[in-house]
Amino acid sequence: MSVERIRLETLRHKVMTAEQAASFIQNGMVVGSSGFTKAGDSKVVLPAFAERAKKESIKITLMTGASLGHDTDGKLAEAGALSKRMPFQVDRTLRNKINAGEVLFIDQHLSESAELLHNENLPPVDIAIIEVAYIDRDGSIVPTTSVGNSVTFAGLAKQVILEINTAVPEEVYGIHDIYQAENYPHRNVIPIVAPWNKIGRKTIPLDPSKVIGIVFTDITDSPADIAAPDAKTSSIARHILEFFENEVKLGHLTDRLLPIQAGIGKVANAVLMGFKDSNFYDLTMFSEVLQDSTFDLIDSGKLSFASASSITVSKDCYHRVFDNLQRYRDKFVLRPQNISNTPGLIRRLGVIAINTAIEFDIYGNVNSTHVSGTKIMNGIGGSGDFARNAYLSIFVTQAASKENAISHVLPMVSHVDHTEHDVDILVTDIGLADLRGLAPRERAQQIINNCVHPDYREELQSYFDRACARGGHTPHLLEEAFSWHLRLGETGTMKK
Amino acid sequence: MSVERIRLETLRHKVMTAEQAASFIQNGMVVGSSGFTKAGDSKVVLPAFAERAKKESIKITLMTGASLGHDTDGKLAEAGALSKRMPFQVDRTLRNKINAGEVLFIDQHLSESAELLHNENLPPVDIAIIEVAYIDRDGSIVPTTSVGNSVTFAGLAKQVILEINTAVPEEVYGIHDIYQAENYPHRNVIPIVAPWNKIGRKTIPLDPSKVIGIVFTDITDSPADIAAPDAKTSSIARHILEFFENEVKLGHLTDRLLPIQAGIGKVANAVLMGFKDSNFYDLTMFSEVLQDSTFDLIDSGKLSFASASSITVSKDCYHRVFDNLQRYRDKFVLRPQNISNTPGLIRRLGVIAINTAIEFDIYGNVNSTHVSGTKIMNGIGGSGDFARNAYLSIFVTQAASKENAISHVLPMVSHVDHTEHDVDILVTDIGLADLRGLAPRERAQQIINNCVHPDYREELQSYFDRACARGGHTPHLLEEAFSWHLRLGETGTMKK
């Protein structure tokens, strides 16, 4: 315990155990917790609450920034502690409970949860649980590896529990840019015109009288699993880099490109790593999560600045960054997610958005969330915030998987998260389809020619040809549109 | 002819006939024309081109603001003059050609066409045709009843044809606010923080050396067809007004509400007219089209200011406004559509968006564009620009039509224009479903309880119950999801 991390001395008597803090949470409450893609989440209070829920019948609505680490979502779901969860999750146990109808889940654009709370379009937050590096002398708090929705939770929650994480150096002070737009009807401009602009405070304002408990921890974030690029992700990355190179040749972009957003995962890492040996330079990111590749690109001199809402990296990279903060602190900033992901800034900065799809169809509609239209995987996350407002909206997926029993390019997607109106470029390991300026029938032929796995090309062409024969702006055979999904369910493969 | 409307005298020798001007258009060209929901469109040059195309084999790509009046789209389509059309249309002949695959159509968010042109993500515009009230002494032009994409067309087109419409009074000078954001990577803030802010020029900049022809006309815009509210639209309007009244009671909104956007048509007019006898006051609009109801509300003292990209009104209302411009000129402004519809401003101002759906499904996905998934009606227009970024996103449709042979509330929509993530409130003449804070299964029950026509309620409930029994976050029976659409195709009714 490092009581000097509570610089507002009148709060020092609030220190307690995680169990004591968790005991404040009552059945039916709405709890807002820090945590964004595993970063800066509650390490001990939520797990203590999960333990308590094993014995008591007690359920909460849990809002976070995005996903939690340390299987906390799984523990909560397992204990039956969740009635409703939003806006994102990636946990296998929780996902099963959601798909079984036992936990209600709201799959929300990550920019919007805070807006909805401020506008009272969601029930008010009873208790906030926020991981902090320390409490400043004025009671304001310094977040750790993410900002997420913590500014909103701290501002709106009736009561606040703080987890001071002593594994996070106090020197993180200054890596956050804490700003919130005004409430309606007098909202002003958000004055960011470049990724590196800092426009706010360094600490999150908090009324100390709301603090009901302070808990010390020294548990680090769950590390990101960094898989090395494989043949497919390398191929996808190569298609994207070639596309960028060609855009530069055409004079559409310079070698600096425009600010990049990259979704989490292998493909994004592979694309970013691809920049290392390219001619691109002075790159910037305006994204939601910073991964290992961000810091590799900074080290290689290719990336000048990265803006996001969290840092989710491997254990090695975590130490590289936080043991050498002085080296990186002017190279990145963490913002609230309703700033990092806000539509107007993404449009203003001209972000190039690269996100992962579960499947897409011949007309360019993208499913990011559902397996066979019904079972959720993770959620839309920030992909919609970025894709809808980007300078270029790129979606990637493998052409086929499970020994090619599943095609990820389909006659019709079984769930739409990103509509045909919002998608510019589709990429699989087979190739890239540039849909800009194309009508639906032209898009279909591009996608069939360039993206679908050869095992499925003929059947997809047949579907499209037969649909065209029947006519329509967006030709479909509704009776067959989901036949590939249905065949998979019945036979275990989409192949005839 | 009123040659004094060409105040830059060196341009006066460019006056010619519509036929002469149309002769500049060559096969394969990209033509950008003024015109937004019938307002301020080309009255004579495009029709003259359509005449020419009857005799010659000549096709163009035609971009506009939105739809054209005077059946011009129909005439062009009939003459085989269009190879590609974007971003919107409402013409029956053109629609049939699109659905037959004879004209390629890109159904585009109205905010995005100009962005795509500036970013060179669409082919460059060869010739712009712009209706103007007059040409100013510096060669800049004063638009008429719409701004649309004319600023972009005038700026980027290689050659420009101007139609000076003498039926439009020169006093329209000042009703337009001409502003464009900078090109990337140095785009600044668009400094609008209230609907009434004017931030730009009063005329559209134009390099006079690009002007290849000037044509005089005195043809007024096609009038809007204003249908009186019927029982269904009145019922929808009543549900919405009651909802607003309740939001005020709950303290979420004041009696001034927030800036309103209303799509075109009967329902929007009915909702706006409903404000006349309400307690709401000092209302504002931040919308894309101003209809009769806007000016009725201004006259009644309920509406203080309206911002949009065009004025599309009945003949009576047209004369009321343009014969009395002095009375109205401080009450409204017309902007380029990439300003009126830009995501960041819609979010910043907290717009309440009310748009019309063709159909919606039990999970809140909205189809605005396609009949039975294949045939396009009009297009998405600005509905996505507004819905995705609004403070509140409301979609309306009748519960059933064609003597109830068609249900507009369905197990699954056949085309998705607005995803479950983007829709807050759904309204039919039966009732209103408030989806805020609801998970998919909760939404479904709300929609079944409140919105579906009683003739279809039992079957929709059965679909939902049987889908839930099979499980999933968003329970569906893929083999049945389109059964209502298929039944309609086979038997002429969705009823069993």
Side-chain angles (χ1 to χ4, degrees):
Chain A
M1 205 170 97
S2 309
V3 80
E4 67 277 9
R5 290 209 181 199
I6 308 175
R7 299 187 186 175
L8 179 64
E9 292 182 15
T10 56
L11 278 183
R12 288 185 179 171
H13 71 286
K14 296 284 185 185
V15 175
M16 59 184 67
T17 65
E19 291 68 30
Q20 285 171 319
S23 73
F24 290 120
I25 302 171
Q26 289 165 36
N27 190 42
M29 275 188 167
V30 177
V31 175
S33 173
S34 63
F36 192 105
T37 52
K38 303 188 192 177
D41 55 344
S42 159
K43 306 296 192 302
V44 290
V45 177
L46 280 179
F49 177 70
E51 279 301 310
R52 190 181 141 208
K54 281 186 187 170
K55 296 160 222 146
E56 291 175 51
S57 173
I58 185 167
K59 280 180 193 292
I60 58 169
T61 290
L62 177 61
M63 299 183 69
T64 54
S67 54
L68 303 175
H70 296 288
D71 303 322
T72 300
D73 263 326
K75 288 173 193 160
L76 289 162
E78 193 60 47
L82 299 177
S83 59
K84 197 174 264 191
R85 180 79 176 86
M86 65 190 94
F88 189 72
Q89 59 77 37
V90 298
D91 184 87
R92 181 186 302 259
T93 307
L94 174 54
R95 178 187 305 147
N96 289 340
K97 296 266 182 187
I98 291 167
N99 284 322
E102 293 167 31
V103 177
L104 293 166
F105 177 59
I106 305 183
D107 183 15
Q108 221 158 42
H109 295 299
L110 293 186
S111 75
E112 292 200 349
S113 314
E115 292 286 325
L116 293 167
L117 283 171
H118 285 286
N119 299 341
E120 301 181 48
N121 286 335
L122 286 175
V125 177
D126 295 298
I127 292 187
I129 306 169
I130 302 174
E131 182 181 88
V132 301
Y134 65 88
I135 303 169
D136 212 348
R137 286 191 300 183
D138 61 355
S140 70
I141 51 181
V142 177
T144 59
T145 48
S146 71
V147 180
N149 285 318
S150 295
V151 187
T152 296
F153 296 150
L156 299 183
K158 294 161 202 154
Q159 300 181 308
V160 177
I161 296 166
L162 299 175
E163 289 191 18
I164 299 179
N165 192 331
T166 55
V168 176
E170 294 178 65
E171 288 69 35
V172 294
Y173 175 83
I175 68 169
H176 314 95
D177 186 41
I178 305 303
Y179 179 90
Q180 286 289 286
E182 297 83 357
N183 281 339
Y184 298 118
H186 298 298
R187 180 170 290 191
N188 211 329
V189 297
I190 302 171
I192 292 173
V193 295
W196 52 87
N197 290 163
K198 294 188 181 183
I199 59 170
R201 301 167 46 102
K202 292 178 179 172
T203 65
I204 298 176
L206 176 62
D207 173 358
S209 73
K210 297 203 295 187
V211 177
I212 54 172
I214 298 172
V215 180
F216 277 88
T217 76
D218 60 358
I219 302 168
T220 50
D221 291 338
S222 288
D225 310 312
I226 301 297
D230 56 23
K232 282 184 190 173
T233 53
S234 300
S235 177
I236 290 171
R238 201 177 54 247
H239 296 314
I240 293 179
L241 286 165
E242 283 171 9
F243 168 78
F244 287 148
E245 283 162 6
N246 198 46
E247 288 294 294
V248 173
K249 263 188 218 148
L250 292 169
H252 296 166
L253 290 167
T254 72
D255 280 330
R256 288 182 161 99
L257 298 179
L258 282 164
I260 294 162
Q261 176 260 336
I264 208 159
K266 273 204 294 191
V267 177
N269 263 320
V271 172
L272 292 179
M273 291 322 295
F275 284 121
K276 249 169 108 169
D277 305 311
S278 71
N279 289 323
F280 300 104
Y281 71 102
D282 196 16
L283 298 167
T284 59
M285 293 185 75
F286 193 79
S287 196
E288 52 186 20
V289 184
L290 304 183
Q291 298 182 266
D292 282 38
S293 48
T294 303
F295 297 96
D296 292 346
L297 279 182
I298 289 174
D299 286 346
S300 74
K302 287 287 185 187
L303 184 70
S304 301
F305 197 88
S307 164
S309 194
S310 83
I311 296 179
T312 302
V313 290
S314 67
K315 204 173 163 196
D316 278 358
C317 185
Y318 185 94
H319 286 293
R320 175 157 44 117
V321 174
F322 289 97
D323 297 349
N324 299 285
L325 256 184
Q326 214 40 48
R327 195 164 93 209
Y328 294 103
R329 63 185 311 124
D330 294 332
K331 303 284 188 188
F332 74 91
V333 65
L334 300 183
R335 309 183 188 276
Q337 68 197 72
N338 54 334
I339 302 294
S340 65
N341 287 29
T342 198
L345 297 182
I346 293 161
R347 175 68 60 93
R348 188 186 298 157
L349 299 180
V351 171
I352 296 172
I354 307 170
N355 289 287
T356 305
I358 288 179
E359 60 185 23
F360 56 76
D361 69 26
I362 53 173
Y363 297 114
N365 298 287
V366 170
N367 172 9
S368 299
T369 56
H370 282 68
V371 174
S372 285
T374 56
K375 296 203 171 165
I376 195 150
M377 278 297 295
N378 302 330
I380 191 168
S383 59
D385 293 323
F386 286 95
R388 176 68 181 82
N389 299 293
Y391 163 88
L392 268 182
S393 166
I394 302 172
F395 281 93
V396 303
T397 186
Q398 49 189 333
S401 65
K402 307 254 161 123
E403 297 181 336
N404 304 333
I406 295 175
S407 173
H408 296 268
V409 186
L410 290 149
M412 182 186 265
V413 289
S414 58
H415 184 91
V416 178
D417 293 295
H418 310 289
T419 74
E420 51 149 341
H421 314 281
D422 296 336
V423 177
D424 297 311
I425 310 283
L426 290 173
V427 194
T428 67
D429 44 307
I430 303 298
L432 179 147
D434 182 348
L435 310 181
R436 293 173 298 171
L438 300 189
R441 290 177 188 224
E442 295 175 298
R443 282 182 226 146
Q445 201 54 60
Q446 271 277 324
I447 291 168
I448 293 169
N449 291 349
N450 295 356
C451 295
V452 70
H453 190 279
D455 288 3
Y456 292 93
R457 190 169 291 147
E458 199 179 329
E459 202 188 339
L460 203 57
Q461 184 75 53
S462 159
Y463 177 89
F464 176 54
D465 291 344
R466 288 178 296 119
C468 285
R470 217 187 269 177
H473 172 57
T474 307
H476 266 304
L477 310 169
L478 284 191
E479 72 280 14
E480 259 187 57
F482 295 140
S483 58
W484 296 24
H485 297 95
L486 290 167
R487 204 181 298 144
L488 176 69
E490 286 158 14
T491 68
T493 175
M494 285 187 178
K495 288 189 184 170
K496 261 193 179 151
Chain B
M1 204 171 97
S2 310
V3 80
E4 68 278 10
R5 290 211 181 200
I6 307 175
R7 299 188 186 175
L8 179 63
E9 292 181 16
T10 55
L11 278 183
R12 287 185 179 168
H13 70 286
K14 295 283 185 186
V15 175
M16 58 183 68
T17 65
E19 290 68 28
Q20 285 171 319
S23 74
F24 290 119
I25 303 172
Q26 290 166 35
N27 190 42
M29 274 188 167
V30 176
V31 176
S33 173
S34 63
F36 192 104
T37 53
K38 302 187 193 179
D41 54 344
S42 159
K43 306 296 192 301
V44 290
V45 177
L46 280 179
F49 177 68
E51 279 302 312
R52 190 181 142 207
K54 281 186 189 171
K55 294 161 225 148
E56 290 174 51
S57 173
I58 184 165
K59 281 179 193 293
I60 58 169
T61 290
L62 178 61
M63 300 184 68
T64 54
S67 54
L68 302 176
H70 296 287
D71 303 322
T72 301
D73 263 326
K75 289 173 193 159
L76 288 163
E78 192 61 47
L82 299 176
S83 58
K84 197 174 264 191
R85 181 78 176 89
M86 64 191 97
F88 190 71
Q89 60 77 35
V90 298
D91 184 87
R92 182 186 303 259
T93 307
L94 175 54
R95 180 187 303 145
N96 288 341
K97 296 266 182 189
I98 292 167
N99 284 322
E102 294 167 30
V103 177
L104 293 166
F105 177 59
I106 305 183
D107 183 16
Q108 219 159 42
H109 296 299
L110 294 186
S111 75
E112 293 199 350
S113 314
E115 292 286 326
L116 293 168
L117 283 173
H118 285 287
N119 299 342
E120 303 180 45
N121 285 334
L122 287 175
V125 176
D126 294 298
I127 292 189
I129 305 169
I130 303 174
E131 182 182 88
V132 301
Y134 65 87
I135 303 168
D136 213 348
R137 286 192 298 184
D138 61 355
S140 70
I141 50 179
V142 178
T144 59
T145 48
S146 71
V147 180
N149 285 320
S150 295
V151 188
T152 297
F153 296 150
L156 299 184
K158 294 162 202 154
Q159 301 182 308
V160 177
I161 296 166
L162 299 175
E163 289 190 19
I164 298 179
N165 192 330
T166 55
V168 176
E170 294 179 65
E171 290 68 36
V172 294
Y173 176 83
I175 69 170
H176 314 96
D177 187 40
I178 305 303
Y179 179 90
Q180 285 289 287
E182 297 82 358
N183 281 339
Y184 298 119
H186 297 298
R187 180 170 290 191
N188 211 330
V189 165
I190 301 172
I192 291 172
V193 296
W196 53 87
N197 291 164
K198 294 187 182 183
I199 60 171
R201 302 168 45 102
K202 292 178 180 172
T203 63
I204 297 176
L206 176 62
D207 173 358
S209 73
K210 296 204 296 186
V211 177
I212 54 171
I214 298 172
V215 180
F216 277 88
T217 77
D218 60 358
I219 303 168
T220 50
D221 290 339
S222 289
D225 311 311
I226 301 298
D230 57 23
K232 281 184 188 173
T233 54
S234 300
S235 178
I236 290 171
R238 201 176 56 247
H239 296 313
I240 293 179
L241 285 165
E242 282 171 10
F243 168 79
F244 286 148
E245 283 162 5
N246 198 47
E247 288 293 295
V248 173
K249 264 189 215 145
L250 292 169
H252 296 167
L253 290 168
T254 72
D255 280 329
R256 289 183 160 98
L257 298 179
L258 282 165
I260 293 163
Q261 176 260 335
I264 209 159
K266 273 205 294 193
V267 176
N269 262 320
V271 172
L272 291 179
M273 291 322 295
F275 283 123
K276 248 170 110 168
D277 304 311
S278 71
N279 290 321
F280 299 104
Y281 71 102
D282 196 16
L283 298 168
T284 59
M285 293 185 75
F286 193 79
S287 197
E288 51 187 21
V289 184
L290 304 184
Q291 298 182 265
D292 283 37
S293 48
T294 302
F295 297 96
D296 292 345
L297 278 181
I298 288 174
D299 286 345
S300 74
K302 286 288 185 187
L303 185 70
S304 301
F305 197 88
S307 163
S309 194
S310 83
I311 296 179
T312 303
V313 290
S314 68
K315 204 173 163 194
D316 279 358
C317 187
Y318 186 93
H319 285 293
R320 172 152 50 110
V321 174
F322 288 97
D323 296 349
N324 300 282
L325 255 184
Q326 215 38 47
R327 194 164 97 212
Y328 293 103
R329 62 186 311 124
D330 293 333
K331 302 287 187 187
F332 74 91
V333 66
L334 301 184
R335 308 182 190 277
Q337 68 198 70
N338 54 334
I339 301 294
S340 64
N341 286 29
T342 199
L345 297 181
I346 294 161
R347 174 67 61 91
R348 187 186 297 157
L349 300 180
V351 171
I352 296 173
I354 307 170
N355 290 288
T356 305
I358 288 179
E359 60 186 21
F360 56 76
D361 69 26
I362 53 174
Y363 297 113
N365 298 288
V366 170
N367 172 10
S368 300
T369 56
H370 282 68
V371 174
S372 286
T374 56
K375 296 204 168 163
I376 196 149
M377 279 296 294
N378 303 331
I380 192 168
S383 59
D385 292 324
F386 285 95
R388 177 66 183 81
N389 299 293
Y391 164 87
L392 268 182
S393 165
I394 302 173
F395 281 92
V396 304
T397 186
Q398 49 188 334
S401 66
K402 308 255 159 120
E403 296 182 338
N404 304 333
I406 296 175
S407 173
H408 297 267
V409 186
L410 290 149
M412 182 186 264
V413 289
S414 57
H415 185 90
V416 178
D417 294 295
H418 312 287
T419 75
E420 51 148 342
H421 314 281
D422 295 335
V423 177
D424 297 313
I425 310 284
L426 290 173
V427 194
T428 67
D429 44 307
I430 303 298
L432 179 147
D434 183 350
L435 309 182
R436 294 174 296 172
L438 300 189
R441 291 177 188 224
E442 295 174 298
R443 283 182 225 147
Q445 200 55 61
Q446 272 277 324
I447 291 168
I448 294 169
N449 291 349
N450 295 358
C451 295
V452 70
H453 189 280
D455 288 3
Y456 292 93
R457 189 170 290 147
E458 199 178 329
E459 202 188 338
L460 201 58
Q461 184 73 53
S462 160
Y463 177 87
F464 176 54
D465 292 343
R466 287 178 295 120
C468 285
R470 217 186 270 177
H473 172 56
T474 306
H476 267 303
L477 310 169
L478 285 191
E479 71 280 14
E480 260 188 55
F482 295 140
S483 57
W484 296 23
H485 298 95
L486 291 168
R487 205 183 296 145
L488 176 69
E490 287 157 15
T491 68
T493 174
M494 286 187 178
K495 288 189 186 171
K496 261 191 177 152

